[in-house]
Amino acid sequence: MPPSNPKAKLIPFYHANSSVAIGEKSTQGRGGMGAKIEAASGAVKDGSACAACVIAPGDDLNSIRSILSPHYDPKLGPAKGTLFATPGSDLERLAIEELVVAVEDEESVSDLARDMAVKARKEARKLGAMPFEVRRNILNAVAAALIERKAEILEANKLDLIDAEQNKTDIQLVKRLKLTEEKLKTLEAGIQQLAAMDDQLGVIKAKRELADGLELAQKTVPIGVLMIIFESRPDSMPQIASLALASGNGLLLKGGKEAVNSNAVIHEIIGDAIEKGSNGAITRDIVGLVTSRGQVKDLLALDDTIDLVIPRGGNKLVAYIKANTRIPVLGHADGVCHVYVDKSASAANASAIVVDSKTDYPSACNAMETLLLHSDTVQNNVALNVLQSLRSAGVRCLGGPKAMKAGLSDVPAEQMKFEYGDLRCLVEIVDSVDEAIDWIHQYGSGHTEAIVCDENDPVGEDFLQRVDAACVFKNTSTRFADGYRLGLGAEVGISTGRIHARGPVGVEGLLTTKWELRSAGGVNLASEFGGAAPTKTFTHKELM
Amino acid sequence: MPPSNPKAKLIPFYHANSSVAIGEKSTQGRGGMGAKIEAASGAVKDGSACAACVIAPGDDLNSIRSILSPHYDPKLGPAKGTLFATPGSDLERLAIEELVVAVEDEESVSDLARDMAVKARKEARKLGAMPFEVRRNILNAVAAALIERKAEILEANKLDLIDAEQNKTDIQLVKRLKLTEEKLKTLEAGIQQLAAMDDQLGVIKAKRELADGLELAQKTVPIGVLMIIFESRPDSMPQIASLALASGNGLLLKGGKEAVNSNAVIHEIIGDAIEKGSNGAITRDIVGLVTSRGQVKDLLALDDTIDLVIPRGGNKLVAYIKANTRIPVLGHADGVCHVYVDKSASAANASAIVVDSKTDYPSACNAMETLLLHSDTVQNNVALNVLQSLRSAGVRCLGGPKAMKAGLSDVPAEQMKFEYGDLRCLVEIVDSVDEAIDWIHQYGSGHTEAIVCDENDPVGEDFLQRVDAACVFKNTSTRFADGYRLGLGAEVGISTGRIHARGPVGVEGLLTTKWELRSAGGVNLASEFGGAAPTKTFTHKELM
């Protein structure tokens, strides 16, 4: 049937089972659709090792790209053609999977998503201009509501747990999913602590006299609208929403589908608390909750509306988001942390730090994945002591080439850069601190790197200065790389990027600055300071 | 001929003039290439309004995407197929243009580009660990060399000017291209000034006792490797290289092709000065110069090697770069700046600021593009005075809907958000400061917004607080939004992004931070602070 027929439906992918009603020969084109389908399906004959064909408007390259694009790209516009592929080929399988997503997305690239972000920004601008008192009241209202309405929360969480059981969900995921009264109390305490901290908005970072009567101030302001995508843990939502509210930002939240019931209730409770805490001055629209899969993709495309995406989840989630958005992403994809045991280290200190770094929470991003031992420690038995301690704690030590040669391990490691996330680690020997630093720069992920050494040996400072990573520690476990432990209050995440924020990120990482320039005693013009005969001169005097 | 024949060449695009030697029927596939080409070219019959066909490995969707992708994407891999399109169609034209680029790029995704970035990082890490003295000596050596070797520079620049003349280049571009002894002296002075400033590397931004004997410091460090892409102005290179060297960063520079001779000589001079100023401790590899078009695209794909891209050029350049890289981009695509004339403003002040903001340098990104007049100013003649001053200065005032109705302009504006970049501006009437702020948030680009008002009227502070932009000014020209004028020393660019740096960016914007944690009097373990029976407690005491 001709595309002009309102009942006509685009078939993005043609395969043997497609029921296609081939239309009459077109009166306009030289070949009707029937001829094209015939030609195209000839080109993808069953079993042919080498053919795929697209029927699409010949003058619209973007449409063809759109058909083949793995993700809906608003710049290309909707797919306006049909893909033919060899039946049973990988191409067919991929195409089916991906086109379904593309078509779903096309329908859901809705004004709704943009509206949500625009509304959050509008409310955030109102909140940012209000005194800290309002934000403090909102935070305390959120904290109180989590306890007052714990029955609702735990009830909803129960539904998620039942679903998880029916879906035979992984036990670790269920653990993260489960809310308890104790977890809610911890959340309450954290949010109250945030409310008790000094205001970090409106802080003057620089003040300068530019000229007589012309004064500049650089002031902290909220970033705008943040999108946080978190997996499975429903307790992430109040924690992150509180950080965003404390810093005056608008927020779009996307929780894991496993926690859909818990998230919906918590979101409602936060919304109520915002309106109550602000006496109705700020609406619940400041925190939007994204529910469907399609909507996240829509939001990832809103690079003109959302200022920062913060993924909180596994490597795969972070990598997916980084690959599918032009919005700046704050987060880390890898946590390949090293502990370097210097020749000056004692066996006791080295064992304690290495075991703590590896076993305190093996799946955390700040857990040690690689142990670098100075070659002298192999001679003086420190290395053997450390490895024995690790093995006693249940850790399997895989050997790098030199460690295998020296007889430190039974199992060779396959990769020199790998995040095990469990009770395994790589062990390798280096001949000097220089070699350790080079190794870390080559195979590390720039997250957290630690040295164990004699407290007074200059090697410690050398390591601290020269290692290029977000966190560099001396005689301390890598596990300290955490917002709470480093005294930032709560934490939105840990950044291994070098732009904006690096390492554990608290409220300060959710702020940007604004330059305010005030003229007093008359106006100031650029032309007065330039040209052939300037009438005014810059003084550029620091005022703080 | 079969693809296994070493003389076989992939034909990425098939059209009527392609001379294709069709091979024998394949022994492995069910249909030979001849049959496929026949089927495919049938599908794209001359004049058909609706057909395009790709012959490609049927199990390699990425390869097909690659054929149709406008830019070479290393994630997709090289194109391994042929595109058939209707002869004479737009698709054919586009495909030819873009495939040529894709094939060129494929050849130039070279180890060279990555090597350049890796070497720059290595040298930068060395430089960042050295005392400020070394960076200061390098800067002074660069400044001195620009004068000592001015003959070489001006000679090379002459060659570029001759080329520009032969190519009938735009007069504005020639102006930007031309170097003079005076421009070199200004550069020298700027770099000397940078060398005289306080060191901004290694500055402690926060210091905190986490627990007894456990001390945290947050210290400024270089970002790593920056890529700066600048158009036509060869004087950008020494200026930007100096900022990068002052902040300890590695650098890849890409200058406009118009300035290829000037850039090559200046790059060599900077390289010599780096080696001389550091007594050979740092090699010239710390500043790489990218020359060919293909190489930029290669570098834009190196998101694992380059930390930040800073485009310095027109909107189109910035938009192109933002659309083609996953590396964070620091810059602004739009400068749609507003001046709002409040009802409390005097005619003299309003005229002076508006005329200066528009005419001091109309093509600059900080020039006024939209004038918002409070409706009272239409009654009290301030509006008429301001418009007369603008028109006397040669400015054409296009009217918004309300301004047209009020008889303030002869020509209606077509867009409410537009960067004219010349002696035109939009004029519109608003009824209140609220309406002005809403207008700015809707149509502004978040660059620089100014208010003209009575000095003591609270409306000035209200505007400063509520407008969400990088720079917000009271009774001052928008033209002050500039690194030099704001006292940042030199400037790498102006950011309208909210992440990392906002507004004019100097040395500070090229830095990030690192967390250093030191244990004294024994080691510290995470497990000592947690679990059922913690043996240590956090003190979290601010030390500065």
Side-chain angles (χ1 to χ4, degrees):
Chain A
M1 85 189 57
S4 55
N5 184 328
K7 282 191 182 157
K9 196 170 173 300
L10 177 75
I11 302 154
F13 180 66
Y14 175 89
H15 57 105
N17 302 329
S18 297
S19 69
V20 182
I22 296 175
E24 295 301 303
K25 195 176 191 307
S26 161
T27 51
Q28 293 188 310
R30 292 200 194 172
M33 190 50 86
K36 288 192 197 86
I37 292 177
E38 218 170 293
S41 47
V44 296
K45 243 190 344 230
D46 186 25
S48 163
C50 178
C53 187
V54 174
I55 293 192
D59 55 352
D60 187 354
L61 191 56
N62 278 345
S63 176
I64 298 180
R65 283 189 195 120
S66 183
I67 294 173
L68 291 165
S69 170
H71 310 293
Y72 179 77
D73 181 345
K75 301 241 161 38
L76 297 179
K80 282 179 287 193
T82 301
L83 175 72
F84 290 73
T86 307
S89 67
D90 277 356
L91 172 61
E92 186 190 50
R93 189 183 45 72
L94 277 170
I96 292 172
E97 281 172 20
E98 297 182 350
L99 285 171
V100 168
V101 172
V103 170
E104 270 175 8
D105 285 351
E106 190 185 332
E107 285 165 4
S108 65
V109 173
S110 56
D111 293 334
L112 188 74
R114 187 176 292 272
D115 268 6
M116 227 179 192
V118 168
K119 279 183 188 158
R121 184 178 305 276
K122 202 178 152 203
E123 293 303 311
R125 279 178 174 153
K126 278 200 295 190
L127 181 61
M130 291 178 183
F132 185 37
E133 205 52 32
V134 179
R135 280 173 282 133
R136 187 172 270 160
N137 290 343
I138 289 176
L139 292 177
N140 285 324
V142 170
L146 290 173
I147 301 303
E148 283 161 19
R149 297 173 67 175
K150 65 183 176 196
E152 285 170 67
I153 298 171
L154 297 176
E155 187 63 33
N157 189 243
K158 216 179 198 170
L159 292 177
D160 289 329
L161 291 170
I162 290 168
D163 282 352
E165 202 171 322
Q166 282 174 350
N167 297 328
K168 300 194 184 3
T169 307
D170 173 61
I171 181 77
Q172 288 301 323
L173 193 145
V174 173
K175 248 169 94 178
R176 291 197 293 271
L177 184 58
K178 188 175 181 174
L179 289 176
T180 59
E181 216 173 308
E182 202 190 343
K183 275 192 187 176
L184 292 176
K185 278 203 174 144
T186 309
L187 278 174
E188 183 201 21
I191 297 169
Q192 283 169 340
Q193 203 184 340
L194 205 57
M197 285 174 72
D198 286 340
D199 191 10
Q200 295 194 52
L201 254 192
V203 174
I204 306 296
K205 306 294 270 188
K207 205 166 188 173
R208 191 175 295 136
E209 183 194 272
L210 301 190
D212 192 33
L214 189 58
E215 202 176 296
L216 178 73
Q218 186 184 24
K219 203 179 76 176
T220 58
V221 293
I223 287 177
V225 179
L226 320 174
M227 176 158 67
I228 322 260
I229 302 177
F230 53 97
E231 284 179 328
S232 49
R233 290 183 186 276
D235 42 345
S236 290
M237 198 202 287
Q239 194 192 11
I240 289 175
S242 302
L243 279 160
L245 293 167
S247 50
N249 286 287
L251 198 57
L252 292 195
L253 292 163
K254 167 74 175 88
K257 66 175 184 307
E258 312 81 13
V260 61
N261 295 297
S262 315
N263 288 339
V265 166
I266 295 175
H267 180 245
E268 194 191 304
I269 289 174
I270 292 174
D272 290 344
I274 288 167
E275 299 187 345
K276 188 179 162 195
S278 68
N279 280 323
I282 304 295
T283 77
R284 57 181 64 238
D285 289 344
I286 195 169
V287 179
L289 178 66
V290 178
T291 49
S292 82
R293 178 161 176 280
Q295 267 182 306
V296 180
K297 296 178 130 238
D298 298 349
L299 291 168
L300 286 178
L302 293 177
D303 54 334
D304 55 339
T305 316
I306 290 171
D307 300 299
L308 187 67
V309 185
I310 307 177
R312 286 199 57 156
N315 291 3
K316 277 185 192 166
L317 176 76
V318 180
Y320 171 81
I321 288 171
K322 284 195 173 173
N324 285 284
T325 188
R326 284 178 192 149
I327 308 171
V329 179
L330 192 153
H332 63 93
D334 283 312
V336 183
C337 304
H338 295 72
V339 175
Y340 164 60
V341 177
D342 186 59
K343 62 180 176 188
S344 65
S346 73
N349 284 353
S351 296
I353 287 177
V354 167
V355 170
D356 190 81
S357 295
K358 180 72 245 183
T359 68
D360 185 58
Y361 193 170
S363 66
C365 61
N366 56 14
M368 179 191 83
E369 303 297 355
T370 301
L371 168 63
L372 296 176
L373 298 162
H374 190 286
S375 48
D376 286 9
T377 65
V378 182
Q379 310 306 319
N380 67 15
N381 288 335
V382 169
L384 293 180
N385 275 298
V386 170
L387 292 175
Q388 192 189 7
S389 305
L390 270 175
R391 288 177 176 128
S392 302
V395 177
R396 215 168 137 216
C397 300
L398 311 178
K402 287 187 182 176
M404 291 307 292
K405 220 171 172 180
L408 297 187
S409 168
D410 303 302
V411 189
E414 286 175 6
Q415 294 173 66
M416 300 301 110
K417 178 179 183 173
F418 192 73
E419 187 170 1
Y420 295 99
D422 56 24
L423 286 174
R424 288 178 295 166
C425 70
L426 164 66
V427 177
E428 184 52 319
I429 297 171
V430 291
D431 290 326
S432 63
V433 67
D434 297 322
E435 212 181 284
I437 293 173
D438 285 347
W439 178 287
I440 287 168
H441 286 163
Q442 187 169 359
Y443 300 114
S445 60
H447 191 299
T448 299
E449 315 297 353
I451 183 173
V452 191
C453 62
D454 179 274
E455 195 168 317
N456 301 312
D457 195 307
V459 71
E461 276 308 305
D462 194 30
F463 185 88
L464 282 166
Q465 298 315 312
R466 286 167 57 205
V467 170
D468 184 9
C471 304
V472 191
F473 295 172
K474 175 182 165 184
N475 287 335
T476 302
S477 164
T478 56
R479 289 276 299 139
F480 280 93
D482 163 276
Y484 168 67
R485 290 183 179 137
L486 295 192
L488 305 180
E491 165 188 295
V492 280
I494 294 179
S495 169
T496 52
R498 293 149 186 273
I499 302 305
H500 190 68
R502 199 179 188 200
V505 179
V507 171
E508 208 181 337
L510 302 185
L511 300 175
T512 183
T513 59
K514 171 173 158 180
W515 298 95
E516 294 179 350
L517 184 58
R518 292 167 174 85
S519 191
V523 299
N524 277 285
L525 311 176
S527 54
E528 295 172 322
F529 291 82
T535 56
K536 290 183 178 176
T537 50
F538 286 110
T539 54
H540 286 156
K541 206 188 297 171
E542 298 299 324
L543 298 178
M544 64 180 273
Chain B
M1 78 189 64
S4 54
N5 183 329
K7 281 191 184 161
K9 195 169 171 299
L10 176 72
I11 301 154
F13 179 65
Y14 175 87
H15 55 105
N17 302 331
S18 297
S19 69
V20 183
I22 296 175
E24 294 303 303
K25 194 176 189 311
S26 161
T27 50
Q28 292 189 308
R30 292 203 194 170
M33 189 50 87
K36 286 191 201 89
I37 291 177
E38 219 173 293
S41 48
V44 296
K45 245 193 338 234
D46 184 25
S48 162
C50 177
C53 186
V54 175
I55 293 190
D59 55 352
D60 187 352
L61 191 56
N62 277 345
S63 177
I64 298 179
R65 284 187 196 122
S66 181
I67 293 173
L68 292 166
S69 168
H71 310 292
Y72 179 77
D73 181 345
K75 302 245 160 31
L76 297 179
K80 283 180 284 191
T82 300
L83 176 71
F84 290 73
T86 307
S89 66
D90 276 356
L91 173 60
E92 185 190 51
R93 190 183 44 73
L94 277 169
I96 292 172
E97 281 172 20
E98 296 182 352
L99 286 170
V100 168
V101 172
V103 170
E104 271 177 7
D105 287 350
E106 190 186 332
E107 284 165 4
S108 63
V109 174
S110 57
D111 293 335
L112 188 73
R114 187 176 293 271
D115 270 5
M116 226 179 192
V118 168
K119 278 182 188 160
R121 184 178 305 277
K122 201 179 152 203
E123 292 303 311
R125 279 178 173 151
K126 278 200 296 190
L127 181 61
M130 290 177 181
F132 185 38
E133 206 52 32
V134 179
R135 280 172 283 133
R136 188 171 267 162
N137 290 342
I138 289 176
L139 291 178
N140 284 325
V142 171
L146 290 174
I147 301 302
E148 282 162 19
R149 297 172 68 175
K150 65 184 176 195
E152 283 171 68
I153 297 171
L154 297 175
E155 188 64 33
N157 189 243
K158 216 180 196 170
L159 293 177
D160 289 329
L161 290 169
I162 291 168
D163 281 351
E165 202 172 323
Q166 281 174 349
N167 296 329
K168 297 193 189 4
T169 307
D170 173 63
I171 181 76
Q172 289 301 325
L173 193 145
V174 172
K175 247 167 96 177
R176 292 197 293 271
L177 183 59
K178 188 174 181 174
L179 289 176
T180 59
E181 219 175 305
E182 201 191 343
K183 276 192 187 177
L184 292 176
K185 278 204 172 142
T186 309
L187 278 174
E188 182 201 23
I191 298 169
Q192 283 169 340
Q193 202 183 338
L194 205 55
M197 285 173 73
D198 286 342
D199 190 9
Q200 295 193 51
L201 254 191
V203 174
I204 305 296
K205 305 293 268 187
K207 206 166 189 174
R208 190 176 295 138
E209 183 196 273
L210 301 190
D212 192 34
L214 190 57
E215 200 175 296
L216 178 74
Q218 187 185 24
K219 203 179 76 175
T220 58
V221 294
I223 288 178
V225 179
L226 320 174
M227 176 159 65
I228 321 260
I229 302 177
F230 53 98
E231 285 179 327
S232 49
R233 290 182 185 277
D235 43 344
S236 290
M237 198 202 284
Q239 193 192 9
I240 289 175
S242 303
L243 277 161
L245 293 167
S247 50
N249 285 288
L251 199 56
L252 292 194
L253 292 162
K254 167 76 175 85
K257 65 175 186 308
E258 312 81 11
V260 60
N261 295 296
S262 315
N263 287 340
V265 167
I266 295 175
H267 181 245
E268 194 191 304
I269 289 175
I270 291 174
D272 290 344
I274 288 166
E275 300 187 345
K276 188 178 162 196
S278 68
N279 282 323
I282 304 296
T283 76
R284 57 181 63 238
D285 289 342
I286 195 169
V287 179
L289 178 66
V290 177
T291 48
S292 81
R293 178 165 174 279
Q295 266 181 307
V296 181
K297 295 179 131 240
D298 298 350
L299 292 168
L300 286 178
L302 294 178
D303 54 334
D304 56 337
T305 316
I306 290 171
D307 300 299
L308 186 67
V309 185
I310 307 179
R312 285 199 57 156
N315 291 2
K316 278 184 192 168
L317 176 75
V318 180
Y320 171 82
I321 288 171
K322 284 195 172 171
N324 286 284
T325 188
R326 284 178 192 150
I327 308 171
V329 179
L330 193 151
H332 62 93
D334 284 311
V336 182
C337 304
H338 296 71
V339 175
Y340 163 60
V341 177
D342 185 60
K343 62 181 177 186
S344 65
S346 73
N349 284 355
S351 296
I353 287 176
V354 167
V355 169
D356 190 82
S357 296
K358 180 72 245 186
T359 68
D360 185 58
Y361 193 171
S363 66
C365 60
N366 57 14
M368 179 191 82
E369 302 297 355
T370 301
L371 168 62
L372 296 176
L373 298 162
H374 190 285
S375 48
D376 286 7
T377 66
V378 182
Q379 310 305 320
N380 67 15
N381 289 335
V382 168
L384 293 180
N385 275 296
V386 170
L387 293 175
Q388 190 188 12
S389 304
L390 272 175
R391 288 177 176 130
S392 302
V395 178
R396 217 169 134 213
C397 300
L398 311 179
K402 287 186 182 177
M404 290 309 290
K405 220 170 172 182
L408 297 186
S409 168
D410 302 303
V411 190
E414 286 176 4
Q415 295 174 64
M416 300 301 108
K417 179 178 183 173
F418 192 73
E419 187 169 2
Y420 294 99
D422 56 23
L423 286 174
R424 285 178 298 166
C425 70
L426 164 66
V427 178
E428 184 55 316
I429 298 171
V430 291
D431 289 327
S432 64
V433 67
D434 297 321
E435 213 180 284
I437 294 173
D438 285 347
W439 178 287
I440 288 168
H441 286 163
Q442 186 168 0
Y443 300 115
S445 61
H447 190 299
T448 299
E449 315 297 352
I451 183 174
V452 191
C453 61
D454 179 272
E455 195 168 317
N456 301 312
D457 194 307
V459 70
E461 274 309 306
D462 194 31
F463 186 89
L464 283 166
Q465 297 316 311
R466 285 167 57 203
V467 170
D468 183 9
C471 305
V472 191
F473 295 172
K474 175 183 164 185
N475 288 334
T476 302
S477 164
T478 56
R479 289 276 297 139
F480 280 93
D482 163 276
Y484 169 67
R485 290 185 180 135
L486 295 194
L488 305 180
E491 166 189 294
V492 280
I494 294 180
S495 169
T496 52
R498 293 149 186 273
I499 303 305
H500 191 69
R502 199 181 189 199
V505 179
V507 170
E508 208 181 336
L510 303 184
L511 301 174
T512 184
T513 59
K514 172 174 160 181
W515 298 97
E516 294 179 351
L517 183 58
R518 293 169 175 83
S519 191
V523 299
N524 277 283
L525 311 177
S527 53
E528 295 171 323
F529 292 83
T535 56
K536 291 184 178 176
T537 50
F538 285 110
T539 55
H540 285 157
K541 206 188 298 171
E542 299 300 324
L543 298 177
M544 64 179 274

